[in-house]
């Protein structure tokens, strides 16, 4: 039996050059595990300059990790080691990190530029040098005209930019960002992506991000760790996680997925087949060891399904007949809702530029996918298989 490679990267990795090792978290345990999303003893290593995302749908576990690294939340056990230095006894303000919590608080009546400058208090700079440094940093985050603006007059996006400027101005060793995907408009997301990926100020900066959406992971991360039920479910590059998720939880965390239930009826090297609950036979690749006859779940991404207004026999071997129920144009893409019969429904997406000739609600259509584009998991419980 051949299982498809999920493309894992260990959360705790060995480095060919130990000089690349920058961040080590060893068995961190929060005092209140329930308040920390059930976080279990947590370990990871990150190389110098790596952009690392912790993806957790509920968010509490990922935020708890960042808070323990920042020192604002003291762990019950475990170690935080940065560049070979143990930081358990180091106060938060002395760790040399830039930290943007999920809830950003700025001095209401303070001015944005003055707030950014407070991060330079420990640096011996002339007034002119300090002002020039603040001006450069405000320009970097797109707040050139806001230095004298009172913080209460800033928009939510501008407050985030000001907090980011303050986090970066003192050239931190490590940047920690909690949930940049929550509550901000697209310009802030684009600015953050451009800054972390292309700016000399931050592109080489080791960054740890707590994220709740796959969009943030794809935009910002070199590597992502998916947290599920308090543990690391999988660690890999974002594209590897999307293409080869090791579990259904990882698959759904990285993006939309059709999940079809049935029974494994065949396993022929790289191709396995599942008889769906409506009797249709579909193909995929095994993500784990599954016995013939075992209840299974087949996952296929909506954009990886071929669709045509022809008979299934014309589309090719393995194609299924379906009835198109609804079409929903959504700007960049069109969503197609189809029924395979027997209570089995499926969603297909197509880019707006794709030809949808002949596709009309109520019409019989054909859909298909290759075995390499679908993954098969064991149904963990009767509820999963339902």
């Amino acid at each position: 039996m051949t299982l498809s490679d999920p493309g894992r990267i260990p959360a705790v990795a060995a480095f060919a050059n130990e000089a690349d090792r920058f961040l080590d978290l060893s068995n961190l345990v929060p005092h209140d595990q329930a308040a920390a999303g059930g976080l279990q003893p947590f370990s990871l290593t990150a190389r110098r300059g790596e952009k690392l995302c912790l993806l957790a749908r509920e968010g509490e576990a990922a935020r708890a990790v960042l808070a323990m690294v920042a020192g604002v939340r003291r762990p019950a056990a475990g170690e935080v080691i940065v560049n070979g230095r143990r930081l358990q006894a180091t106060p938060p303000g002395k760790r040399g990190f830039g930290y943007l919590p999920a809830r950003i608080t700025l001095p209401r009546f303070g001015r944005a530029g003055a707030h950014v400058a407070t991060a330079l208090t420990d640096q011996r700079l002339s007034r002119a040098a300090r002002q020039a440094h603040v001006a450069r940093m405000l320009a970097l985050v797109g707040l050139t005209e806001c230095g004298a603006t009172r913080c209460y007059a800033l928009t939510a996006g501008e407050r985030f930019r000001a907090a980011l400027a303050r986090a970066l101005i003192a050239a931190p060793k490590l940047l920690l960002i909690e949930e940049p995907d929550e509550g901000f408009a697209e310009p802030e997301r684009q600015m953050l992506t451009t800054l972390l990926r292309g700016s000399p100020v931050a592109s080489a900066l080791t960054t740890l991000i707590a994220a709740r959406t796959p969009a943030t992971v794809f935009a910002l991360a070199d590597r992502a760790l998916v947290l599920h039920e308090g543990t690391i479910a999988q660690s890999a590059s974002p594209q590897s996680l999307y293409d080869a998720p090791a579990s259904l939880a990882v698959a759904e965390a990285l993006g939309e997925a059709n999940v079809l239930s049935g029974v494994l009826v065949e396993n022929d090297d790289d191709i396995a087949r599942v008889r769906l609950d409506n009797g249709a036979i579909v193909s995929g690749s095994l993500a784990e060891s599954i016995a013939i006859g075992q209840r299974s779940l087949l996952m296929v991404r909506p954009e990886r399904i071929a669709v045509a207004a022809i008979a299934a026999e014309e589309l090719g071997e393995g194609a299924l007949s379906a009835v198109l129920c609804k079409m929903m144009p959504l700007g960049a893409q069109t969503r197609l809702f189809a029924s395979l019969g027997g209570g089995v429904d499926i969603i297909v997406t197509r880019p707006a530029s794709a030809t949808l000739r002949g596709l009309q609600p109520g019409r019989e259509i054909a859909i298909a996918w290759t075995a390499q584009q679908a993954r098969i998991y064991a149904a963990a419980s009767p509820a999963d298989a339902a």
Side-chain angles (χ1 to χ4, degrees), residues 165-342:
R166 186 182 185 279
L168 291 173
I169 196 169
K173 303 171 185 176
L174 176 68
L175 180 61
L176 307 169
I177 308 177
E178 290 184 2
E179 298 180 358
D181 40 16
E182 292 295 310
F184 299 113
E186 189 60 29
E188 276 65 48
R189 296 189 183 95
Q190 292 177 358
M191 177 275 299
L192 186 60
T193 301
T194 300
L195 191 150
L196 292 183
R197 291 297 195 182
S199 166
V201 173
S203 59
L205 179 62
T206 306
T207 306
L208 187 60
I209 303 162
R212 296 178 67 175
T213 66
T216 295
V217 172
F218 283 109
L220 301 178
D222 301 317
R223 177 164 59 106
L225 281 68
V226 179
L227 304 184
H228 179 63
E229 295 182 348
T231 63
I232 298 172
Q234 191 176 359
S235 169
S237 70
Q239 196 61 49
S240 292
L241 291 171
Y242 188 81
D243 292 338
S247 68
L248 192 57
V250 173
E252 294 179 328
L254 266 292
E256 187 175 22
N258 291 290
V259 180
L260 310 176
S261 63
V263 174
L264 187 71
V265 294
E266 185 179 343
N267 177 25
D268 182 13
D269 292 329
D270 291 335
I271 299 178
R273 292 180 174 81
V274 172
R275 179 182 290 111
L276 300 182
D277 292 339
N278 68 351
I281 303 293
V282 293
S283 299
S285 57
L286 290 183
E288 57 188 313
S289 179
I290 306 175
I292 299 297
Q294 185 174 348
R295 294 290 297 176
S296 305
L297 300 170
L298 181 140
M299 184 281 296
V300 60
R301 304 283 186 193
E303 77 280 4
R304 295 184 173 173
I305 301 173
V307 59
I310 58 177
E313 295 77 11
E314 297 179 60
L315 189 57
E317 184 180 359
L320 302 174
S321 294
V323 174
L324 183 58
C325 302
K326 183 179 180 181
M327 299 178 67
M328 184 182 295
L330 295 173
Q333 69 173 16
T334 299
R335 290 169 64 83
L336 309 176
F337 299 82
S339 171
L340 300 178

Side-chain angles (χ1 to χ4, degrees), residues 87-139:
L87 298 180
Q88 281 83 328
T90 305
K94 299 295 183 180
R95 296 194 175 194
F97 301 164
Y99 176 45
L100 276 76
R103 294 183 179 180
I104 293 172
T105 303
L106 304 184
R108 179 172 173 77
F109 294 101
R111 300 186 189 277
H115 175 65
V116 173
T118 59
L120 297 173
T121 302
D122 294 337
Q123 298 192 13
R124 296 180 178 179
L125 297 173
S126 68
R127 181 177 181 181
R130 187 186 304 269
Q131 289 177 339
H133 199 13
V134 169
R136 285 194 298 270
M137 194 56 63
L138 288 175

